[in-house]
Amino acid sequence: MSDIILEGKDLKKYYPIKTGVLRRTTGHVKAVDGVSFELRKGETLGIVGESGCGKSTLGRLLMRLEEPTDGHVFFGGEDMAKASTSQMRKLRRDIQIVFQDPYTSLNPRMTVGDIVGEPFEIHSDVIPKGGRRKRVQELLDLVGLNPEHINRYPHQFSGGQRQRIGIARGIALNPKVLICDEPVSALDVSVQAQVVNLLEKLQNELGLAYVFIAHDLSVVRHISDRVGVMYLGKLVELGEEDQVYEHPTHPYTQALLSAVPVPDPTLRGKRDQIVLVGDVPSPANPPSGCRFHTRCWRAQDVCKAEEPILQDRPDGVTQHRSACHFAEPRTVVERSE
Amino acid sequence: MTDNVRTVVETTEKEPADKDVPRSLFSDAWRELKHRPMFWISLGMILFFVVMAAVPSLFTRGDPTEAILKLGSTPPSSSQWFGRDLQGYDIYTRTIYGARASILVGVFATLLTSAIGVVIGVIAAFYGGILDTIMMRITDIFFAIPFLLGGILFMSSFPNTKDSTYFAVVGKVVLVLSILGWPSIARLMRGSVLQVKPNDYVQAARALGASPWRVIRSHILPNAWAPVIVVSMINLGAFISAEASLSFLGIGLTYPAISWGVAISDALTYIRTAPWMLLFPSLFLSLAVLAFIMLGDVIRDAFDPKTR
C-alpha cells in the first residue's frame, strides 16, 4: 500500500478546561478523540459532520497547526511529529490548507501578489527571485483570476474570487495534499459550484489529493472518492462515496442522509426521514460506550457499555468501515431511477 | 445551456465588489480626517511648534542666554514683545527656545514608550502562556506606580548636577517618563495582537512554514498597530505636560536646559509684580499640549468606526 500519502493514526486532541483563580485543569474538551484514516495519492477524502464535531480541529492536526494530544500523522510514511524544524519546513511544501472564511484568510494589508507570492518568499529556494512574479501570475491564471489584478488588495475582490486567491496560495508550492477546511461553506451556492469545479480541475491537472472537510453532504458527495462521517470527535463511518451514501450502516449516517433535501417534488413526503431527538452531547463529557447511544433509536445496553470499533462491517453489497454494534444497511431514500 | 448559466454566474462574480467598501483602515481614516478642520488646525499648530523646536532662530534673532540685568522685569513693549524676566532674559526668546526641550521630551518619550510597549505587548500576546503571565504581571507592577509620584521619586533620587549636559538632562526626563509610561501601550498592543492572532491569514502563514518573526512582521504588526498610534499621539501631549510639571517642581529639566516648565517655576514668585513672566510660557505650553491631544482625539475618532 505504497500509494497512501497521508495517514492519521488514532489522532486525539484534548483541550484542557481551566477553572478557578489557579486555573486548574478540571477536564478536557475531547475535540478529536481517536481518529484513524488514510488518504491515497490523487484521491479526495470527504469529511462530513455537524458543527463542533471536530472536523476543523482534525484539519489543523493534519497541518500540524495544532499538536495532537496523542496519535500520529504520517506523511509519505514519515511521522510528522518527529520531523525536525527543517524537515517540517520541507514537509509544509507538500501539504497545504485552504481555509473556510475567505474574508479572514487573506491579510487585508497585503496585495494579491504578496499573498500568493509569500510561499516563495518563505521557501526561497523554490523559484529564483526574478521568476516569482511571473509564477504568481501563472497561478492567478490557473485559478481563474485576471493575472493583471496582481497589485490589488483582497477587499477589491468578491468572496468567490478571494477563495480562489486562497487556493492559489495553497497550490503555489505544488503540494501533494491540500486540506480544504470548509472551502465553500462561506460562499453563495452558485459560487460554491465554481470553486468546487476549480478544485476538481486542479486535481486533474496537478494530481492533488484532497482532504475535503465540509458539512454539506451534497458538495462532499460531488467531489469525494471516499467519505468519512464524524460525530463528537470520532469517525463513525468511512468508505467509498457510493458505499457511504447508498448503503450507510451507521444510524447517524442514515439520519444525516435522510435529512438531505431531494430535488424531486413527487418524492416529497414519501421519504422515510429520521428526526433525531436531543442535542449533541458535550464533547467535554461524552457518553460512555458508543457516543451516539443517547440519540440512537437502536441503542441497547451493549452500546452504553462497549465502544464499537471502526471496522469493516457488511453493508448489504460489500463491506466498509462502520462503528456500530448493529451496523446494517437501510434504504434511506427511494431512488427514482 | 449549462454553459450559458455558467457565463452569467461568472460575470456576476467578477463584478468589482466595491466602490463604497472601505479601502483600508488608514485610507479610510484619512478620508475622514481630510474633512475635519480640527485635524488641520492641530496639525498646523504641531508643525509650528516642531519648526520652532528645530530652528528657533527663524522666529527670533535674540540670544536666550543673554541676560541684561539692568533691564530686569521690563513689561512687554514694542521692542520686547513678551517683556523681560527678573534677570533680564528676553522672555520671547526664552519661550521660543523652550519649545525644543518640550518637543524633544514629548517625541522621544513617546517613541521609547511605544517601542517598549509594542515589544512587550507583541511578545506576551504572540507567545502566550507563562511568558504572557509573567510579562503582564510586570506590566501591572509598573502600571501601579503613580505617574507623577514615581517621576518625583526617580528625579529626586538622581538629581542633576551643575555639569550635567543638555542631553543628559533631557535624556533623564525622557527615561523616567518612558519607564512609567510604557505599561498602557503594552496592554493596548497585547489586546490588539490577541485580536489579530486567531485570524486565518496568520494560521495560513504558519501553515506555509513562516518563522515567528515573519508572522509578526508581515501579518500581525501591520494589522495591530493602529490603536497604538492613536494612543501614543494623545500620550505625547501628556508627556509634555508631565515634563513641565517635573520642571516646575525643580526636578525635571534644569540648567542648562531652557524649558517652559522651568520658566513657569521661576515666574511664580513674581506673579504679582511681573505676571507676563508667567503668562507667555504657560500659554505656549498649554497650546502645545492642546495641539497634540486634539490631534490624538481627532485621529482616534477617525479610526473608530463606531463614531462615524
Side-chain angles (χ1 to χ4, degrees):
Chain A
M1 291 288 269
S2 59
D3 62 338
I4 290 178
I5 185 142
L6 186 69
E7 190 178 7
K9 267 226 174 100
D10 206 24
L11 278 172
K12 287 181 183 153
K13 181 68 189 178
Y14 295 170
Y15 294 101
I17 305 167
K18 292 182 173 171
T19 45
V21 193
L22 295 173
R23 320 251 313 130
R24 283 226 324 263
T25 305
T26 50
H28 288 97
V29 172
K30 297 174 177 171
V32 173
D33 196 7
V35 169
S36 304
F37 68 92
E38 62 290 320
L39 177 74
R40 301 197 186 93
K41 275 181 191 152
E43 81 164 354
T44 304
L45 173 68
I47 303 277
V48 281
E50 56 198 297
S51 313
C53 73
K55 307 184 296 276
S56 292
T57 309
L58 179 65
R60 275 157 208 269
L61 287 178
L62 296 179
M63 285 300 302
R64 216 183 161 195
L65 284 174
E66 305 251 12
E67 295 295 330
T69 311
D70 197 15
H72 301 278
V73 181
F74 295 97
F75 185 90
E78 255 179 275
D79 190 344
M80 272 171 90
K82 287 199 187 114
S84 64
T85 319
S86 59
Q87 282 172 316
M88 200 58 220
R89 266 176 68 89
K90 274 216 141 129
L91 267 178
R92 294 209 181 277
R93 285 193 204 168
D94 289 331
I95 177 163
Q96 272 303 315
I97 188 163
V98 173
F99 288 95
Q100 169 178 8
D101 186 352
Y103 291 89
T104 63
S105 63
L106 306 176
N107 186 341
R109 297 262 182 281
M110 284 164 83
T111 62
V112 174
D114 289 339
I115 290 170
V116 180
E118 193 175 25
F120 305 128
E121 299 268 318
I122 294 167
H123 301 272
S124 49
D125 45 334
V126 177
I127 293 180
K129 222 170 182 144
R132 285 181 196 159
R133 200 181 153 83
K134 196 165 159 282
R135 177 73 185 129
V136 169
Q137 289 185 323
E138 283 169 18
L139 283 165
L140 290 179
D141 194 37
L142 188 63
V143 297
L145 291 170
N146 186 346
E148 282 162 23
H149 291 171
I150 188 165
N151 288 326
R152 290 200 179 179
Y153 285 88
H155 67 260
Q156 291 168 292
F157 294 92
S158 66
Q161 290 173 318
R162 283 163 164 240
Q163 199 58 295
R164 287 167 193 264
I165 298 168
I167 293 171
R169 172 178 60 193
I171 62 171
L173 294 169
N174 272 327
K176 298 191 178 92
V177 176
L178 194 63
I179 300 197
C180 305
D181 185 2
E182 309 216 21
V184 296
S185 342
L187 306 175
D188 287 343
V189 177
S190 57
V191 184
Q192 278 188 9
Q194 294 171 25
V195 172
V196 168
N197 289 341
L198 169 67
L199 287 171
E200 289 192 319
K201 183 190 106 176
L202 292 174
Q203 184 165 45
N204 293 338
E205 289 175 14
L206 308 172
L208 290 164
Y210 292 137
V211 175
F212 193 93
I213 298 167
H215 56 250
D216 187 325
L217 292 162
S218 359
V219 171
V220 168
R221 176 164 202 184
H222 178 77
I223 196 168
S224 302
D225 302 311
R226 290 194 310 135
V227 176
V229 181
M230 275 186 88
Y231 181 76
L232 260 185
K234 277 186 179 295
L235 272 177
V236 293
E237 191 155 358
L238 179 65
E240 302 291 322
E241 169 248 314
D242 268 356
Q243 294 173 329
V244 172
Y245 278 82
E246 301 296 339
H247 316 286
T249 59
H250 196 284
Y252 179 65
T253 317
Q254 292 166 355
L256 265 189
L257 289 172
S258 80
V260 175
V262 179
D264 182 352
T266 58
L267 282 176
R268 193 177 292 157
K270 290 186 185 168
R271 295 168 57 212
D272 188 9
Q273 199 170 351
I274 305 164
V275 179
L276 292 177
V277 286
D279 286 325
V280 185
S282 158
N285 185 21
S288 62
C290 172
R291 294 192 166 190
F292 190 55
H293 83 251
T294 52
R295 303 170 78 193
C296 184
W297 63 98
R298 290 164 65 196
Q300 294 180 19
D301 284 347
V302 62
C303 300
K304 281 177 207 163
E306 206 181 303
E307 192 177 319
I309 13 172
L310 185 72
Q311 62 182 27
D312 280 336
R313 296 176 202 256
D315 61 11
V317 184
T318 52
Q319 52 176 18
H320 66 270
R321 273 174 270 178
S322 173
C324 178
H325 292 301
F326 306 102
E328 61 175 34
R330 173 183 183 279
T331 317
V332 176
V333 181
E334 284 95 275
R335 302 187 59 205
S336 48
E337 67 257 10
Chain B
M1 197 213 134
T2 334
D3 274 348
N4 247 344
V5 174
R6 227 185 112 78
T7 29
V8 170
V9 171
E10 215 132 42
T11 37
T12 22
E13 194 206 345
K14 291 245 164 77
E15 220 167 83
D18 34 55
K19 273 274 183 300
D20 313 306
V21 169
R23 306 257 113 180
S24 78
L25 195 60
F26 278 92
S27 55
D28 215 33
W30 167 241
R31 271 198 295 180
E32 171 85 7
L33 284 173
K34 270 196 302 197
H35 305 293
R36 295 283 203 95
M38 202 65 102
F39 172 70
W40 293 110
I41 293 172
S42 51
L43 197 69
M45 280 165 72
I46 287 170
L47 273 178
F48 174 69
F49 282 114
V50 167
V51 172
M52 193 187 280
V55 262
S57 49
L58 274 183
F59 296 85
T60 173
R61 242 173 278 147
D63 178 0
T65 57
E66 179 198 36
I68 308 170
L69 260 178
K70 68 173 180 191
L71 290 177
S73 303
T74 331
S77 65
S78 58
S79 59
Q80 42 234 345
W81 294 351
F82 291 3
R84 283 181 184 269
D85 72 0
L86 208 66
Q87 315 211 37
Y89 285 124
D90 181 38
I91 294 177
Y92 176 74
T93 313
R94 297 281 282 185
T95 307
I96 296 292
Y97 275 84
R100 177 174 286 174
S102 295
I103 300 291
L104 276 183
V105 167
V107 168
F108 280 99
T110 303
L111 287 179
L112 203 56
T113 47
S114 305
I116 302 172
V118 165
V119 169
I120 301 263
V122 167
I123 291 176
F126 188 76
Y127 290 99
I130 190 80
L131 197 63
D132 182 25
T133 312
I134 293 172
M135 283 182 142
M136 280 303 109
R137 290 302 81 77
I138 294 173
T139 310
D140 285 347
I141 292 169
F142 276 90
F143 208 60
I145 304 172
F147 198 77
L148 212 53
L149 186 62
I152 292 169
L153 274 174
F154 184 94
M155 295 305 291
S156 47
S157 313
F158 307 100
N160 295 323
T161 56
K162 276 274 172 270
D163 25 75
S164 301
T165 60
Y166 183 84
F167 285 100
V169 170
V170 172
K172 209 193 293 180
V173 176
V174 169
L175 192 68
V176 69
L177 292 180
S178 306
I179 288 173
L180 296 166
W182 66 267
S184 59
I185 302 282
R187 282 186 168 189
L188 192 70
M189 195 65 199
R190 175 176 175 269
S192 191
V193 171
L194 283 180
Q195 261 186 342
V196 173
K197 205 175 94 172
N199 272 316
D200 283 343
Y201 54 81
V202 177
Q203 301 290 332
R206 286 183 52 211
L208 283 168
S211 61
W213 166 239
R214 185 183 186 89
V215 172
I216 290 173
R217 193 194 54 201
S218 49
H219 296 283
I220 294 203
L221 277 182
N223 290 289
W225 67 2
V228 167
I229 288 183
V230 173
V231 170
S232 294
M233 207 50 133
I234 296 176
N235 275 358
L236 212 157
F239 287 138
I240 292 179
S241 70
E243 176 270 310
S245 310
L246 289 176
S247 304
F248 174 77
L249 293 170
I251 49 176
L253 297 177
T254 51
Y255 178 86
I258 304 163
S259 137
W260 294 331
V262 174
I264 292 168
S265 169
D266 289 346
L268 207 63
T269 332
Y270 314 103
I271 187 161
R272 280 153 178 268
T273 50
W276 57 89
M277 271 177 74
L278 180 65
L279 177 70
F280 294 105
S282 320
L283 187 72
F284 273 60
L285 173 69
S286 310
L287 285 178
V289 173
L290 185 72
F292 280 109
I293 291 182
M294 250 165 40
L295 185 69
D297 248 10
V298 176
I299 292 181
R300 185 188 56 200
D301 288 351
F303 271 103
D304 186 356
K306 279 184 228 132
T307 60
R308 277 192 215 121

